[in-house]
């Protein structure tokens, strides 16, 4: 991303001088700023992280064996949240009154998703 930023800086300046278009210049300047931010984040994160087994060029496949991570258990909350959000967007299309019925469904879905590990069979705290 830093190479993209290095490319975008002179392109932005040249475009601004030659075209005097404020919209395109602003878009290019924002793209330059975004690539600087992403490049800095990737550099900063890579500097702080350790080497992984797949970074070893002479490593074996078995070096990366073990737990792959934590995966969420069965949950109905995402389905409820998606249904409520879909109903809310349909309310924007067909009538705002439909959003009054969709808002509680979205609220219950968000609440259930946030607190799914604090109650029921998957409680771990």
């Amino acid at each position: 991303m830093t190479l993209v930023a290095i490319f975008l800086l002179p392109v932005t300046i040249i475009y601004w001088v030659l075209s005097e278009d404020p919209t395109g210049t602003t878009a290019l300047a924002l793209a330059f700023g975004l690539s600087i931010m992403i490049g800095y984040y990737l550099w900063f994160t890579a500097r702080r992280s350790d080497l992984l087994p797949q970074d070893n060029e002479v490593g074996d496949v078995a070096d990366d064996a073990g737990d792959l991570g934590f995966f969420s258990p069965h949950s109905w909350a995402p389905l409820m949240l998606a249904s409520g959000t879909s109903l809310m967007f349909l309310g924007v299309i067909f009538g705002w009154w439909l959003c009054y019925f969709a808002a509680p469904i979205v609220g219950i879905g968000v609440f259930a998703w946030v607190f799914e590990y604090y109650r029921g069979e998957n409680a771990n705290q």
Side-chain angles (χ1 to χ4, degrees):
M1 285 315 264
T2 310
L3 295 175
V4 173
I6 291 170
F7 170 75
L8 281 174
L9 182 62
V11 167
T12 304
I13 295 169
I14 292 169
Y15 184 82
W16 177 54
V17 169
L18 293 179
S19 72
E20 297 179 7
D21 175 30
T23 308
T25 306
T26 303
L28 284 170
L30 289 174
F32 166 73
L34 183 63
S35 10
I36 284 287
M37 286 175 21
I38 294 172
Y40 175 74
Y41 172 76
L42 291 174
W43 172 76
F44 184 76
T45 306
R47 198 170 47 103
R48 293 180 61 195
S49 65
D50 296 330
L51 290 178
L52 298 174
Q54 57 262 33
D55 295 329
N56 187 1
E57 291 185 16
V58 294
D60 231 3
V61 175
D63 292 342
D64 200 20
D67 288 337
L68 295 177
F70 175 75
F71 298 97
S72 271
H74 167 266
S75 175
W76 286 99
L79 181 64
M80 181 180 292
L81 190 59
S83 302
T85 307
S86 301
L87 195 61
M88 191 169 282
F89 280 112
L90 285 175
V92 172
I93 295 170
F94 293 114
W96 289 99
W97 58 271
L98 198 55
C99 291
Y100 294 121
F101 296 105
I105 298 172
V106 170
I108 292 170
V110 168
F111 184 82
W113 207 356
V114 167
F115 293 109
E116 71 182 345
Y117 296 116
Y118 293 99
R119 63 185 196 345
E121 64 186 30
N122 300 317
N124 59 6
Q125 300 229 350

